[in-house]
Amino acid sequence: MNHSERIIILDFGSQYTQLIARKVRECGVFAELHPYTISEEALAALQPKGIILSGSPFSVYADGAPIPHFDVFAFAEARNIPVLGLCYGLQLIAHTQGGAVDKAAKREFGYAALEIVGESPLWKGIPSASQVWMSHGDSLTVLPKGFEIVGKTENAPYCALQNTQRKIYGLQFHPEVHHTTDGTKILANFLFDICACSGGWDAGSFVESAVRDIRAQVGTGGVICALSGGVDSTVAAVLLHKAIGKQLHCIHIDNGLMRSNESRTVIELFKTTFDLSIDFVDASDLFLSRLEGVSDPEQKRKIIGAAFIDVFDKEAKKFGDAKFLAQGTLYPDVIESVSFKGPSVTIKTHHNVGGLPEKMNLQLVEPFRELFKDEVRAVGRLLGIPAWFIDRHPFPGPGLAIRVPGVITREKLEILRKADDIYLDEIRNAGLYNEIWQAFAVLLPVQTVGVMGDERTYEYVCALRAVTSVDGMTANWFPMPYDVLARMSNRIVSEVRGINRVVYDVSSKPPATIEWE
């Protein structure tokens, strides 16, 4: 998609990098991430209005530290592009511009009090004392020539620096995290007062651009849409229908890994709310037979992805005009499938990222490839999708396959469906559903001893997971009230034959992922 203005964030491996993009977009300016290994030619082609350098777990002076392959600062200065370095980004400024960085006498993690000691366009509307969030073990020891100090903390005398003539700015703290009280305002000052962005990035502008882009890409060709029933594919289908009407052919596949009554809900929604034709395929036998005996999660994802291709390949032949395959791929899917270091160190394979249409001889249409989850929801609301559907928790492409660690069986899937139904039912009954970003049950490959009706049992353990998040890139576990947990546990153990123990997952992301596999 073409963007009239964009901010490029060079990723040096910080856990907060995605938050920078989210904060910039919240300010109404489109931002996208690129690895620090991007070439000078590729960066120039993007025509950025500004460049932000992310943090990093590395020390800038260490062997193998992530350093761009060209002089980013000379590149930006020659094109009058402002640069903002955050944490490691500030240290990179010092390290490459004649200053010095060393191990800090005292590492700084957590809250700190920022004292503004010099005028800066970054400080417009910012109080002289402000709370910021620190996360660093190194610090500046020598200021680069031509730079001035405009902010400090008790442990970081060089906390904020600038060279206004060269339009280079650096902050030791993280304005992108909500713990930094005035962080969004500081970023907005960089975007609008320093980079001269005009703003205007929102769901409405996205829909207009996306409709034009889809029509230009598709022409008169037919588009097959993999309609899983999740929020992403549903919003994608409605957007595509708005753009190309009857050129769109939706296919819903029951892969045997769906939640309870999922297919029925999807079909009814599109029949009653949207004038969309859906080709329903029950392929549960095919998927489950291929997954028989498979326990490795990466292998599960690959098998499921391949099975989807085979089914779509067969169904596509029914539509002679089919030239494209639409997918609800999101920006986090893309980010998690590559590494900032270059060659991918994959966290997990996303079955809808890259390469699927090769066998099918179809081209990809991915209207949401640049969007985060909450942005997709905003688009969905604008397109008139009912709130009860658009606010549903995310559901992974591989479905329940990655919520049954170990070997999958029909019996295990049915046990999990019942437990998951009860879990979500109790969350809704407690009025907590919309406070939680994602909640689901996991059937563990562990059996434990229990006593039920004076008899010994040896049954499965069910783990309950609930997290709060903005876009799934980071997440905190949800503090479920004890009385609600008690009701959930009692109902699951009492009503679901095959489970005699329930546990609650209190892991955040990072270090854990949201899904168990």
Side-chain angles (χ1 to χ4, degrees):
M1 179 175 294
N2 292 321
H3 299 283
S4 58
E5 57 184 23
R6 76 178 80 206
I7 297 295
I8 297 302
I9 301 160
L10 296 188
D11 182 15
F12 293 90
S14 169
Q15 62 176 315
Y16 300 131
T17 303
Q18 294 81 20
L19 295 181
I20 304 172
R22 288 295 305 116
K23 285 293 185 181
V24 171
R25 292 188 186 189
E26 285 174 13
C27 292
V29 179
F30 182 76
E32 63 185 31
L33 309 181
H34 288 273
Y36 76 92
T37 53
I38 188 172
S39 69
E40 183 173 357
E41 295 74 21
L43 184 57
L46 293 170
Q47 298 182 312
K49 293 280 285 184
I51 298 171
I52 298 178
L53 311 177
S54 83
S56 175
F58 295 88
S59 293
V60 73
Y61 51 78
D63 292 340
I67 306 289
H69 300 328
F70 62 97
D71 189 337
V72 171
F73 304 101
F75 167 92
E77 190 174 357
R79 294 165 175 78
N80 197 33
I81 301 171
V83 178
L84 174 63
L86 305 180
C87 195
Y88 179 91
L90 171 139
Q91 295 164 15
L92 185 68
I93 293 171
H95 184 70
T96 60
Q97 303 304 302
V101 178
D102 294 291
K103 284 189 180 296
K106 182 178 180 181
R107 296 187 301 171
E108 204 168 16
F109 296 99
Y111 294 108
L114 171 69
E115 180 186 350
I116 292 175
V117 296
E119 292 186 5
S120 172
L122 290 173
W123 304 147
K124 180 181 176 181
I126 306 299
S128 58
S130 183
Q131 176 182 281
V132 298
W133 182 260
M134 292 287 200
S135 180
H136 65 101
D138 296 327
S139 62
L140 264 65
T141 53
V142 177
L143 187 68
K145 185 178 180 181
F147 286 78
E148 63 175 325
I149 298 301
V150 293
K152 67 178 183 177
T153 66
E154 182 180 356
N155 294 314
Y158 299 157
C159 183
L161 57 78
Q162 66 182 17
N163 184 321
T164 54
Q165 184 177 354
R166 297 176 63 190
K167 295 187 177 180
I168 302 175
Y169 301 83
L171 302 174
Q172 184 60 74
F173 59 89
H174 290 273
E176 68 272 25
V177 302
H178 74 272
H179 306 292
T180 298
T181 309
D182 299 298
T184 301
K185 178 62 178 171
I186 292 170
L187 287 173
N189 288 339
F190 176 72
L191 298 173
F192 300 113
D193 293 318
I194 297 174
C195 298
C197 292
S198 58
W201 163 259
D202 58 19
S205 64
F206 170 82
V207 170
E208 293 174 11
S209 299
V211 166
R212 288 196 302 268
D213 290 348
I214 290 167
R215 288 172 179 168
Q217 180 185 3
V218 170
T220 59
V223 179
I224 294 175
C225 180
L227 189 59
S228 69
V231 172
D232 307 331
S233 65
T234 297
V235 179
V238 176
L239 176 63
L240 285 159
H241 189 251
K242 177 181 176 69
I244 59 174
K246 293 186 177 180
Q247 291 171 243
L248 177 66
H249 311 296
C250 292
I251 300 174
H252 175 70
I253 297 174
D254 183 350
N255 58 6
L257 304 166
M258 311 290 284
R259 290 172 292 197
S260 183
N261 297 318
E262 186 76 14
S263 293
R264 185 190 309 164
T265 300
V266 173
I267 300 300
E268 288 181 357
L269 173 69
F270 281 91
K271 279 185 177 179
T272 58
T273 308
F274 303 104
D275 183 24
L276 265 162
S277 62
I278 302 179
D279 185 20
F280 174 72
V281 182
D282 184 355
S284 53
D285 288 343
L286 171 68
F287 280 82
L288 295 180
S289 64
R290 291 191 182 183
L291 288 166
E292 187 174 352
V294 177
S295 60
D296 180 74
E298 278 294 288
Q299 191 64 19
K300 288 180 184 178
R301 289 176 182 272
K302 290 174 182 176
I303 289 171
I304 292 167
F308 267 116
I309 293 174
D310 291 342
V311 175
F312 278 119
D313 193 31
K314 179 180 178 181
E315 294 300 312
K317 291 181 171 59
K318 298 179 181 179
F319 307 105
D321 65 338
K323 301 281 194 305
F324 300 87
L325 172 66
Q327 294 185 156
T329 309
L330 300 188
Y331 203 28
D333 299 339
V334 177
I335 294 168
E336 285 197 350
S337 293
V338 298
S339 166
F340 84 98
K341 293 281 281 184
S344 178
V345 181
T346 305
I347 297 172
K348 57 184 177 181
T349 299
H350 287 268
H351 76 284
N352 59 340
V353 176
L356 288 188
E358 186 175 339
K359 175 182 176 182
M360 300 173 64
N361 197 31
L362 297 176
Q363 298 178 54
L364 271 181
V365 178
E366 297 177 304
F368 301 147
R369 191 176 177 86
E370 296 178 335
L371 299 190
F372 290 96
K373 189 78 176 189
D374 58 319
E375 294 172 326
V376 172
R377 285 198 169 103
V379 170
R381 293 186 186 98
L382 199 65
L383 293 172
I385 298 175
W388 68 265
F389 190 93
I390 209 68
D391 291 330
R392 293 206 311 171
H393 294 174
F395 188 64
L400 300 183
I402 57 173
R403 294 178 180 174
V404 179
V407 173
I408 299 168
T409 66
R410 290 179 186 270
E411 178 193 18
K412 288 181 180 179
L413 290 169
E414 194 54 37
I415 291 172
L416 179 58
R417 285 191 187 97
K418 292 176 180 177
D420 193 64
D421 244 9
I422 292 170
Y423 181 36
L424 295 179
D425 184 49
E426 287 299 326
I427 287 175
R428 291 188 179 95
N429 290 342
L432 299 173
Y433 190 83
N434 290 333
E435 294 183 31
I436 298 170
W437 194 78
Q438 189 175 18
F440 56 90
V442 180
L443 189 69
L444 302 186
V446 176
Q447 290 178 288
T448 65
V449 174
V451 178
M452 301 176 73
D454 293 328
E455 292 185 0
R456 177 187 183 276
T457 62
Y458 193 60
E459 296 179 335
Y460 290 107
V461 177
C462 176
L464 304 181
R465 178 81 157 137
V467 298
T468 57
S469 181
V470 173
D471 47 45
M473 297 307 303
T474 59
N476 291 319
W477 61 275
F478 180 76
M480 195 73 69
Y482 289 158
D483 60 328
V484 178
L485 276 174
R487 286 197 299 273
M488 294 167 174
S489 178
N490 289 339
R491 280 196 62 191
I492 290 172
V493 171
S494 300
E495 299 176 30
V496 183
R497 191 175 295 274
I499 293 175
N500 67 358
R501 192 179 300 270
V502 176
V503 297
Y504 190 64
D505 184 349
V506 292
S507 308
S508 294
K509 176 185 179 181
T513 55
I514 295 176
E515 296 287 348
W516 277 48
E517 288 195 334

